[in-house]
Amino acid sequence: YVGLDIRVWECGKWRGQRRAAKRGSGRVRRALYLAAIHSLTRLDSAFAAYYRHLVGQGITKMSALMTLTRKLWTVAYRVLKSGSRYDATKVWVAHPAAADGDV
C-alpha cells in the first residue's frame, strides 16, 4: 500500500541493487520513516529493541531502518484494521536465551 516492499532489478545474469519499490503514497512513506527514526531515540521502545536486534544480526543500518519502517506500517495497519489496542509485546520481545546464543 505504501511502497515499502523490496524490488530487485535484474536482467539475465546482471543483478542490480535492492531498493524500495516506492509505490503508493510518498507522504505516508515519509511519515513512517520519520516515526521510525524517532522511535530509535526512545530506549524503552520495542521498535528500538527490534532495530538493535537487526543491526546485531549483521544487517546494515539503513536496511534495518527500512525494515523497522515496514514493521511500523504493519503494526499501524493491524491496529487500525482490528480496532485493538497497541501492544508492545507483539512488536518485539527480546528473549534472554537468544541474546546469549543458547538457542
Side-chain angles (χ1 to χ4, degrees), residues 36-59:
I37 289 175
H38 180 70
S39 72
L40 297 178
T41 63
R42 309 260 329 198
L43 298 178
D44 60 340
S45 168
F47 292 104
Y50 181 62
Y51 174 83
R52 287 190 301 270
H53 168 75
L54 291 173
V55 171
Q57 293 291 323
I59 296 175

Side-chain angles (χ1 to χ4, degrees), residues 7-27:
R7 173 178 280 177
V8 178
W9 296 97
E10 60 187 10
C11 179
K13 293 182 180 179
W14 179 79
R15 294 196 81 176
Q17 294 181 342
R18 296 167 28 141
R19 297 178 186 233
K22 294 187 181 177
R23 291 179 291 200
S25 173
R27 288 181 179 182

Side-chain angles (χ1 to χ4, degrees), residues 47 50 66-76 90-91:
F47 292 104
Y50 181 62
M66 291 308 295
T67 303
L68 182 66
T69 304
R70 183 165 171 81
K71 174 72 100 173
L72 265 168
W73 165 249
T74 304
V75 170
K90 292 182 180 179
V91 173

Side-chain angles (χ1 to χ4, degrees), residues 2 5 11 24 32-33 40 51 57 60 62 65 71 89 96:
V2 293
D5 55 325
C11 179
L32 288 169
Y33 176 76
L40 297 178
Y51 174 83
Q57 293 291 323
T60 64
M62 184 53 81
L65 186 59
K71 174 72 100 173
T89 60

